[in-house]
Amino acid sequence: MVSKPKRVFACTSCGAQHPKWLGRCPDCGAWNALVEEVVASKEPARRAQGAFADPMPLPQAPRAAGARLATGIAELDRVLGGGFVPASSVLVGGDPGIGKSTLLLQAAAALARQGHACLYWTAEESPAQVRMRAERLQALAEDVHVLHAAELEAGEAALAAHAYAFVVVDSIQTVFTEALTSAPGTVAQVRECAHRLARLAKERGFALALVGHVTKEGAIAGPKVLEHLVDTVLLFEGDRGLAHRILRAVKNRFGAAGEVGVFEMGDAGLRGVDEVSRFFLAGRTADASGVVALAALEGTRALMVEVQALVAPTAFAQAKRTAVGADAARLMMLAALMEQRLGLAFSQHDIYLNVAGGLRLVEPAADLAVALALVSSLSNAPLGGDLAVFGEVGLAGELRPVAQPQARVHEAARLGFRRVLLPAASLARVREALAKAKLGKSPELLGARTLKEALELVGLGRSGLR
Ligand code: TYD
Ligand code: MG
């Protein structure tokens, strides 16, 4: 006899359990924190005390099952760290219409072509809609099965009956389990379904890809609900009005977090961009003031992006600071620092900062580029198109070394930049690497110890300021 699963409402803030939903947790007083949960039976816990409880020497631990499933879609494989990992789960998040379904259907078709059985489980669209998309993508493959179901139990039965290597669930917010009374898409449902699917992936050995919609606050299905349940979280970003999309690994147990892939949406789906730096620098007006080429590092890849600033006298009581694609707090810090230490009158100017191409810079190595862009715009003095820069700026105005300086210089050189401005502390390491790499023409290296020195080296020192 199957007994009905027992349910409780657990507080996400203090962990207390209550028999029914309440607006406020009586134990800790948190509002809206109670989430429905299925009480797990105690049976499995007792069994687990058997053979597996013995510690073992690390070399005797079993190896990971199977090789990675490389899709051959280079930008996707790069972000995953080489491909999907069997028995693991990946969450792909992003705004509606950004291309999540497209990308995962393309991935499934690519894996099917290599002979892997794939399941595209859709709770959102009809099989006819999936077929139509597949035809458009040239992804109509015999080895891609489609399942249309919204109940978790129905999908679980299908997964138990067939052996799949790769399973897409589109989307986790529309799948629901009958074990909970909560509505589909609620935190309780999403968490329970994702948890059971991830566990099934481990047991059955398939690679699982969950599609997740991003909430208005930018989190995937509520505050971090899913992120710790899965091994890898990929976020699809980009303006729906623009053709290109950026896929970023926010978390990855099997690869570098922060890795990005760049795609273009076309008539036949998403296509990886081969020359990422050229792509981000396209349309560059190198002789304008306020623009600086930054040698950035995203994950393990160095790439060139343009940082743009517009500094204009303010008409407001308090000057505006706006950052698109960059950290607003760091922008304010840099403006305040230059005001204090270099006497530049940023407090009387509005600042608009933009990273061209829709990339979001998260590393402090962008500081020097931001600072130079601000000064260049303020003084209306172009820096010239042959200069690339990188480096973190400290509160004392010092230039701090950043990760992978040699990879950054190498990428700048490859794209024809003839001068690279960098923290002096990285010079030795870069020179050594350049000597080994035997570049045809090495760029001129300008090492600076402070922001002030950096400005002087590129002609924006006190005398250069107007
Ligand atoms: P989709 O993958 O359905 O987005 P998501 O699953 O993230 O909601 O992609 C939707 C958009 O992509 C839609 O506006 C149409 C566009 N698109 C193309 O431009 N070319 C294509 O080949 C496909 C399949 C979609
Ligand atoms: Mg979709």
Side-chain angles (χ1 to χ4, degrees):
M1 197 194 82
V2 183
S3 62
K4 270 189 100 182
K6 211 177 144 226
R7 308 183 190 103
V8 291
F9 290 84
C11 177
T12 49
S13 169
C14 71
Q17 297 191 337
H18 307 281
K20 58 178 208 281
W21 192 83
L22 298 161
R24 183 167 187 245
C25 175
D27 285 46
C28 71
W31 287 97
N32 265 331
L34 262 52
V35 169
E36 189 182 20
E37 275 180 357
V38 177
V39 180
S41 86
K42 292 281 176 295
E43 287 303 311
R46 226 178 293 141
R47 244 185 285 130
Q49 282 175 2
F52 291 105
D54 271 343
M56 62 178 126
L58 200 45
Q60 280 169 32
R63 280 176 213 277
R68 278 183 190 261
L69 302 170
T71 61
I73 305 170
E75 290 293 295
L76 174 61
D77 290 343
R78 160 187 281 279
V79 177
L80 288 166
F84 290 98
V85 175
S88 81
S89 46
V90 178
L91 176 66
V92 180
D95 289 333
I98 197 96
K100 302 179 294 294
S101 305
T102 303
L103 180 68
L104 291 172
L105 191 57
Q106 283 180 280
L111 290 171
R113 258 178 252 125
Q114 301 169 30
H116 300 292
C118 301
L119 178 67
Y120 195 93
W121 169 359
T122 165
E124 212 153 84
E125 295 170 311
S126 69
Q129 281 173 308
V130 176
R131 185 200 167 108
M132 212 160 73
R133 185 184 285 120
E135 278 169 354
R136 186 169 172 188
L137 302 174
Q138 315 264 314
L140 209 57
E142 201 60 44
D143 269 340
V144 179
H145 291 183
V146 58
L147 171 73
H148 183 54
E151 300 87 21
L152 179 70
E153 286 73 14
E156 282 178 334
L159 289 173
H162 304 269
Y164 292 110
F166 178 58
V167 175
V168 178
V169 179
D170 191 356
S171 68
I172 189 64
Q173 274 101 348
T174 43
V175 172
F176 68 92
T177 167
E178 285 147 0
L180 295 176
T181 52
S182 312
T186 53
V187 172
Q189 282 285 0
V190 167
R191 199 167 61 165
E192 176 69 12
C193 292
H195 175 69
R196 271 165 61 183
L197 285 167
R199 202 175 52 197
L200 199 59
K202 286 221 166 58
E203 283 166 19
R204 305 275 297 159
F206 58 82
L208 172 68
L210 301 173
V211 172
H213 298 298
V214 171
T215 62
K216 276 196 240 61
E217 295 78 38
I220 302 170
K224 307 262 169 191
V225 184
L226 287 178
E227 292 173 13
H228 66 270
L229 285 177
V230 295
D231 299 302
T232 301
V233 178
L234 308 184
L235 263 190
F236 229 146
E237 297 164 352
D239 199 322
R240 258 173 68 180
L242 299 174
H244 66 273
R245 307 275 185 267
I246 294 160
L247 186 68
R248 178 188 295 275
V250 185
K251 159 184 173 176
N252 196 349
R253 286 203 179 127
F254 310 109
E259 199 74 77
V260 297
V262 185
F263 296 90
E264 257 177 307
M265 182 66 95
D267 288 337
L270 290 158
R271 217 168 38 83
V273 170
D274 321 310
E275 263 289 1
V276 173
S277 291
R278 276 189 226 289
F279 174 81
F280 281 117
L281 290 178
R284 195 157 187 258
T285 41
D287 51 357
S289 64
V291 303
V292 179
L294 162 70
L297 188 76
E298 294 289 335
T300 58
R301 166 160 65 186
L303 55 87
M304 301 298 304
V305 281
E306 186 174 272
V307 174
Q308 310 175 326
L310 181 67
V311 180
T314 186
F316 304 97
Q318 193 174 11
K320 274 184 188 278
R321 271 94 180 89
T322 311
V324 178
D327 189 344
R330 285 199 88 83
L331 166 63
M332 284 191 261
M333 184 195 91
L334 287 167
L337 186 150
M338 288 194 282
E339 175 122 19
Q340 281 299 310
R341 299 202 183 270
L342 307 173
L344 300 172
F346 283 113
S347 57
Q348 271 114 61
H349 290 82
D350 292 332
I351 300 176
Y352 303 92
L353 187 71
N354 179 44
V355 178
L359 196 68
R360 262 210 353 247
L361 297 176
V362 286
E363 49 163 10
D367 288 352
L368 182 56
V370 171
L372 289 186
L374 292 183
V375 180
S376 163
S377 177
L378 180 71
S379 53
N380 198 16
L383 287 163
D386 64 343
L387 176 75
V389 314
F390 63 89
E392 179 183 349
V393 177
L395 274 181
E398 81 280 19
L399 267 196
R400 300 170 153 268
V402 293
Q404 298 287 330
Q406 67 281 38
R408 297 173 199 260
V409 173
H410 198 274
E411 181 66 3
R414 199 178 68 80
L415 281 136
F417 286 88
R418 286 205 301 271
R419 294 179 299 152
V420 181
L421 177 63
L422 70 165
S426 300
L427 273 177
R429 200 164 144 199
V430 170
R431 285 220 177 89
E432 196 183 319
L434 283 184
K436 273 200 208 120
K438 297 194 193 79
L439 284 181
K441 211 163 59 195
S442 283
E444 181 190 354
L445 298 176
L446 308 170
R449 277 168 306 167
T450 62
L451 180 56
K452 189 158 175 283
E453 255 183 51
L455 289 168
E456 278 156 10
L457 277 169
V458 296
L460 289 179
R462 255 280 149 238
S463 57
L465 297 176
R466 270 171 255 165

